[in-house]
Amino acid sequence: MSGFFSRERITAGHGYNRWLIPPAALAVHLCIGQAYAFSVFNEPLTRVIGVSQSAPDDWKLTTIGWIYSLAIVFLGLSAAFGGKWLEKVGPRRTMFTAACLFGGGFLLSAIGIKTHQIWLIYLGYGVLGGCGLGLGYVSPVSTLIKWFPDHRGMATGMAIMGFGGGAMIGAPLGVALMKHFHSEISVGVMEAFVVMGVLYFVSMVIGSLAIRIPPPDWKPRGWTPPVDAGKMVTRRHVHIDQALKTPQFYLLWLILCLNVTAGIGILGQASVMIREMFKGSITPEAAAGFVGLLSLFNMGGRFVWSSASDYLGRQNTYFLFFALGTFLYSMLPTFSGDGNIVMFIVAAAVILSMYGGGFATIPAYLADIFGTRFVGGIHGRLLTAWSTAGVLGPVLVNYIREYQINHGVAKADAYTTTLYIMASLLAAGFVCNLLMREVHERHYMKHDDVDDPLQG
Amino acid sequence: MDEKQGTENHMVLLVLFWAYVLIPLGWGVFQTFKKALALFQ
């Protein structure tokens, strides 16, 4: 069995078509992206006993809120700690493990719903599912970068776009399944979890079976590595542990964290924000449409911006994100004050496209700075920035807004300070990006160590 | 001949595999797009 998962077994021949790799990565990312859509289960989970309405013994929304929070925390932890393992065992084993954890997490949670044991859902979707999320997220990234040295940004953008798209499948699928299984004695969540667990497991296993790594000396036909790709694109490699000793890792950590914090700030509150800033003009349906539009731009931006970064350069792309983001964020209160809904929507959509673009471009930025050898593991460690931003973004928006309302600020104006804070976070990101330089000579691996097993 | 057959099989696999991921993604995007249209009505 270990042979089946080994690197030797999944090393492709020289004639292998590299365009078979992105769908393998997408098969995984489209599944784990469901996490973004977990909120569709929140309200039904408060009616598991009462079915038509909450019974006294039913779970409260605050209890259920922990499931998603746990999943995001374990996503960051597993990506950080599993990255080194990924580099050692290769993508097939990690993707298969992710399939077992994510699919199994759903099934364990279904048992938790059936027996009404919340800790089983915390353990199932939160801990196991979260670990599946983290491992599944990072496992195809370095493989894609190695198959597409000529289009690193586009390749990782395709996979990470899948994570954004996964929510678009997961949300309507979850709702449709709950509707199908709804009866007088069941809200249909338990049955939906079983079906989704099996579906996601099968799809992720297909991805893991299809993944291949290129032969060591492989390069795209007709492509020669540029002799001088610029100081910010190395052809050497930094060891995964050594990367943590470089200032570049922490600058990139901050770049990702600040970009994500600013994006989450608007994404998490989009529906309420637009209704309060344009009171009376936006219906609840239109506000939901606004959230949908932002999701589309979030997904599209992942592919478009990361592909563009192949031509613009990674540092320039982030300069654009931070400069344009700072400007647009600081303009949002003005658009709101003028009652200019169209410009407000356009600005928010562009901001969200750059939020997605920031996620999708960071693996290629890491590969440029640290080399491709350990980029999967280094990317995993960098994703702790996402977990941090996942807490920081909503907290900033909610607490500042609450503080202002408690001090007599009108609801429509309560977002102004928050939006200016988000703009200043992006300005700080601009400075971090400005400080990025190539890695110091002493951090690179010696030529002989590069192909050695991971221990080093 | 065998090489040509192999390439054709690769192409079929390629089309099928891309369809396998793009059809559900397209369905999800369409559902979201329908929802987003409410913003302009």
Side-chain angles (χ1 to χ4, degrees):
Chain A
M1 193 67 175
S2 66
F4 181 72
F5 290 109
S6 67
R7 283 183 164 275
E8 293 72 31
R9 187 71 178 260
I10 60 168
T11 302
H14 273 271
Y16 196 79
N17 190 330
R18 63 175 173 165
W19 287 97
L20 283 163
I21 305 302
L26 273 168
V28 171
H29 272 243
L30 284 173
C31 295
I32 57 175
Q34 182 278 338
Y36 272 153
F38 187 81
S39 59
V40 299
F41 297 118
N42 283 351
E43 194 277 330
L45 280 170
T46 63
R47 293 185 282 115
V48 171
I49 295 173
V51 183
S52 59
Q53 58 183 20
S54 289
D57 286 341
D58 260 318
W59 295 315
K60 301 280 174 285
L61 213 50
T62 45
T63 311
I64 290 159
W66 279 102
I67 303 169
Y68 179 76
S69 303
L70 271 172
I72 292 298
V73 168
F74 277 87
L75 180 157
L77 289 174
S78 60
F81 290 105
K84 198 168 180 177
W85 182 62
L86 157 70
E87 298 297 355
K88 191 175 178 182
V89 301
R92 178 177 280 178
R93 189 188 288 269
T94 23
M95 284 162 84
F96 185 79
T97 306
C100 295
L101 290 169
F102 194 63
F106 264 104
L107 297 181
L108 189 61
S109 300
I111 297 171
I113 297 167
K114 182 76 180 166
T115 56
H116 210 252
Q117 299 284 327
I118 192 70
W119 69 271
L120 274 178
I121 309 181
Y122 288 161
L123 179 65
Y125 194 92
V127 179
L128 298 183
C131 290
L133 279 173
L135 290 179
Y137 192 93
V138 293
S139 47
V141 166
S142 63
T143 307
L144 279 164
I145 287 176
K146 284 162 194 162
W147 275 110
F148 290 87
D150 46 344
H151 298 289
R152 288 172 178 177
M154 182 203 69
T156 55
M158 273 190 280
I160 293 172
M161 174 190 75
F163 196 82
M168 296 184 191
I169 301 170
L173 179 66
V175 171
L177 286 171
M178 283 189 289
K179 196 175 166 189
H180 178 75
F181 289 112
H182 186 274
S183 67
E184 285 179 5
I185 54 162
S186 171
V187 279
V189 193
M190 188 271 288
E191 296 87 343
F193 267 41
V194 172
V195 174
M196 290 174 92
V198 173
L199 272 179
Y200 286 145
F201 172 74
V202 171
S203 177
M204 290 171 78
V205 167
I206 290 172
S208 77
L209 294 178
I211 200 83
R212 296 285 184 281
I213 52 176
D217 55 344
W218 183 88
K219 60 181 181 179
R221 195 178 294 163
W223 180 78
T224 43
V227 180
D228 182 21
K231 280 184 175 177
M232 296 292 277
V233 184
T234 184
R235 288 176 66 185
R236 292 182 290 169
H237 308 278
V238 178
H239 191 275
I240 183 171
D241 294 330
Q242 192 65 25
L244 291 183
K245 296 172 187 164
T246 65
Q248 284 81 357
F249 178 86
Y250 298 97
L251 285 171
L252 285 168
W253 193 96
L254 280 171
I255 285 170
L256 181 66
C257 185
L258 293 167
N259 192 49
V260 176
T261 303
I264 287 178
I266 201 168
L267 191 62
Q269 303 294 322
S271 175
V272 186
M273 188 186 285
I274 195 166
R275 289 184 67 193
E276 288 185 356
M277 291 181 94
F278 294 94
K279 216 164 179 66
S281 314
I282 298 286
T283 61
E285 291 75 26
F290 178 59
V291 177
L293 188 80
L294 295 186
S295 307
L296 287 171
F297 272 83
N298 174 14
M299 189 194 83
R302 290 169 190 242
F303 181 69
V304 173
W305 284 115
S306 59
S307 301
S309 75
D310 287 332
Y311 302 96
L312 296 172
R314 249 57 83 173
Q315 195 175 25
N316 289 338
T317 306
Y318 276 91
F319 276 139
L320 192 61
F321 289 166
F322 289 127
L324 190 57
T326 305
F327 171 72
L328 291 175
Y329 252 120
S330 49
M331 287 304 289
L332 285 178
T334 310
F335 294 143
S336 164
D338 295 346
N340 194 339
I341 299 181
V342 174
M343 282 310 294
F344 183 90
I345 292 169
V346 169
V350 174
I351 289 172
L352 257 292
S353 80
M354 296 190 296
Y355 161 78
F359 268 121
T361 312
I362 206 78
Y365 206 167
L366 287 169
D368 288 355
I369 298 293
F370 298 113
T372 56
R373 179 68 181 86
F374 297 105
V375 67
I378 298 170
H379 181 220
R381 292 183 177 183
L382 199 83
L383 287 183
T384 47
W386 179 7
S387 298
T388 308
V391 177
L392 207 61
V395 165
L396 267 177
V397 174
N398 291 335
Y399 281 86
I400 295 170
R401 180 172 168 271
E402 208 170 297
Y403 177 84
Q404 287 189 292
I405 290 172
N406 290 343
H407 286 76
V409 178
K411 272 188 176 179
D413 301 326
Y415 286 106
T416 305
T417 309
T418 316
L419 292 171
Y420 286 140
I421 289 174
M422 294 296 166
S424 55
L425 289 181
L426 290 176
F430 188 93
V431 175
C432 293
N433 194 39
L434 195 65
L435 294 172
M436 279 297 292
R437 296 285 183 275
E438 73 269 39
V439 170
H440 191 280
E441 193 64 33
R442 69 174 183 277
H443 295 297
Y444 289 111
M445 295 174 79
K446 305 254 181 320
H447 183 73
D448 296 343
D449 297 337
V450 173
D451 293 324
D452 279 358
L454 189 97
Q455 320 311 326
Chain B
M1 189 67 180
D2 282 351
E3 197 177 316
K4 191 183 171 195
Q5 185 76 49
T7 310
E8 281 171 4
N9 287 344
H10 245 176
M11 285 311 292
V12 172
L13 189 64
L14 192 73
V15 171
L16 285 175
F17 204 14
W18 273 101
Y20 168 71
V21 291
L22 289 183
I23 289 171
L25 178 61
W27 176 77
V29 169
F30 179 65
Q31 299 297 322
T32 312
F33 185 71
K34 275 199 307 188
K35 200 171 103 178
L37 279 181
L39 186 59
F40 306 102
Q41 285 165 356

